[in-house]
């Protein structure tokens, strides 16, 4: 969606000319005229703007991994196609670190990820350090679960990118490694921060998930409180769960 601000300072002819130009750039985006940026929050928040079907309508080559640049000595495109699922937390950390350290070199990233514990595809795109992604259409029955990534940039290290992404693949070995990094073993007495304050309990499961969690989310601990209630800790950090 596009806000066309300070409309009180120009003529109707100028507004129509600008709106026509905006539509030529993105015909899918509605334009809202306003003054002093006064617009209802409902018009710009929680609108699901990044929609895979709409993106493909605007850019039919969005998922094309054949490359999309004019070659020279420093600019290149790298595509990765990998079957199976990736761990959401690991891939978020990898992308965050990648953009922080290499964002100036990465002109564009785009792709679709198959995330463990998610029925929906995770669709994303990024320009330099600006990243946008969300869960979109569900995987169809019988559709191969695979991730497709495209990187376009300067002096890209293909091996480094492939190794970094491969480290995010969800495998039994990766799960075992993540469990070993947790601070509390099964049966450890802990205290959990709840709405009612710190409550005592015991760790009864590692890498816990239930159907009410957001797509892709896995909690490091499930805890049985002394009251008998079962809860989960969203992160392995001391301000949420500590030694009892």
């Amino acid at each position: 969606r596009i806000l066309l601000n300070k409309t009180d300072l120009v003529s109707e002819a100028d507004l129509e000319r600008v709106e026509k130009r905006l539509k030529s750039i993105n015909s899918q985006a509605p334009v809202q005229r306003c003054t002093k940026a006064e617009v209802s929050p409902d018009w710009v928040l929680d609108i699901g703007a990044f929609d895979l079907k709409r993106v493909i309508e605007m850019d039919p080559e969005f998922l094309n991994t054949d490359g999309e640049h004019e070659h020279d000595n420093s600019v290149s495109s790298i595509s990765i196609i990998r079957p199976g699922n990736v761990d959401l937390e690991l891939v978020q950390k990898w992308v965050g670190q990648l953009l922080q350290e290499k964002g100036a070199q990465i002109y564009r990233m785009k792709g679709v990820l198959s995330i463990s514990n998610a029925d929906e595809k995770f669709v994303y795109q990024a320009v330099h350090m600006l990243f946008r992604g969300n869960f979109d259409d569900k995987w169809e029955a019988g559709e191969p679960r695979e991730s497709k990534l495209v990187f376009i940039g300067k002096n890209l290290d293909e091996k480094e990118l492939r190794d970094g992404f491969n480290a995010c693949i969800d495998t039994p070995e990766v799960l075992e490694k993540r469990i070993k990094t947790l601070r509390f073993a099964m049966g450890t007495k802990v205290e959990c921060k709840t709405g009612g304050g710190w409550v005592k309990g015991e760790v009864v499961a590692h890498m816990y998930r239930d159907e009410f969690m957001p797509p892709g989310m896995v909690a490091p601990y499930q805890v049985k409180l002394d009251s008998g209630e079962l809860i989960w800790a969203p992160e392995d950090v001391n301000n949420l769960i500590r030694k009892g």
Side-chain angles (χ1 to χ4, degrees):
R1 297 187 176 187
I2 301 172
L3 295 181
L4 187 55
N5 196 30
K6 298 185 178 181
T7 55
D8 56 322
L9 303 180
V10 296
S11 68
E12 179 66 24
D14 286 332
L15 289 174
E16 291 179 357
R17 176 177 55 80
V18 172
E19 288 176 341
K20 183 178 180 180
R21 174 57 177 158
L22 292 173
K23 286 296 183 182
S24 71
I25 297 172
N26 185 347
S27 61
Q28 303 292 325
V31 178
Q32 175 69 50
R33 296 183 181 184
C34 58
T35 59
K36 297 181 181 179
E38 293 179 354
V39 65
S40 170
D42 294 338
W43 202 81
V44 294
L45 299 177
D46 196 24
I47 58 175
F50 190 54
D51 178 84
L52 179 58
K53 292 179 180 178
R54 185 157 55 241
V55 169
I56 292 178
E57 286 177 3
M58 295 173 58
D59 180 7
E61 299 300 310
F62 181 78
L63 298 180
N64 183 7
T65 59
D66 293 333
E68 51 175 78
H69 69 283
E70 296 297 328
H71 288 275
D72 62 30
N73 292 332
S74 60
V75 178
S76 63
S77 69
I78 296 170
S79 63
I80 299 174
I81 303 177
R82 178 67 190 260
N85 297 326
V86 298
D87 182 279
L88 178 60
E89 181 177 343
L90 293 180
V91 80
Q92 285 177 329
K93 289 180 178 178
W94 173 64
V95 169
Q97 182 178 358
L98 182 64
L99 293 181
Q100 184 176 20
E101 296 178 356
K102 309 287 187 180
Q105 298 172 229
I106 298 175
Y107 299 154
R108 190 180 182 197
M109 292 170 53
K110 60 181 181 177
V112 176
L113 302 179
S114 178
I115 303 292
S116 293
N117 302 302
D119 295 327
E120 302 86 2
K121 302 173 182 179
F122 188 84
V123 185
Y124 75 91
Q125 56 182 337
V127 177
H128 292 297
M129 298 180 186
L130 301 178
F131 180 91
R132 178 69 184 273
N134 59 263
F135 287 98
D136 200 83
D137 294 341
K138 288 190 174 183
W139 294 93
E140 300 289 344
E143 183 180 6
R145 298 272 307 224
E146 63 180 12
S147 297
K148 297 182 179 180
L149 306 85
V150 177
F151 302 86
I152 302 149
K154 186 174 183 178
N155 298 322
L156 299 178
D157 186 327
E158 181 170 356
K159 183 178 186 303
E160 182 181 28
L161 291 173
R162 291 187 182 278
D163 289 347
F165 180 70
N166 287 339
C168 302
I169 301 297
D170 194 2
T171 64
E173 293 75 21
V174 167
L175 178 61
E176 183 179 357
K177 184 178 180 180
R178 291 190 64 189
I179 290 175
K180 287 182 178 179
T181 66
L182 297 178
R183 293 179 297 153
F184 305 122
M186 298 276 288
T188 301
K189 299 295 184 181
V190 295
E191 293 181 346
C192 297
K193 185 67 173 295
T194 69
W198 289 97
V199 183
K200 295 182 181 295
E202 178 182 326
V203 174
V204 295
H206 287 148
M207 307 312 293
Y208 172 76
R209 176 169 174 82
D210 64 37
E211 60 183 311
F212 302 107
M213 291 179 173
M217 179 180 179
V218 177
Y221 304 106
Q222 185 186 38
V223 176
K224 184 176 183 179
L225 302 181
D226 289 353
S227 65
E229 180 184 1
L230 289 169
I231 65 171
W232 45 270
E235 293 182 76
D236 187 16
V237 292
N238 214 45
N239 62 337
L240 293 177
I241 181 170
R242 66 190 185 189
K243 188 77 176 289

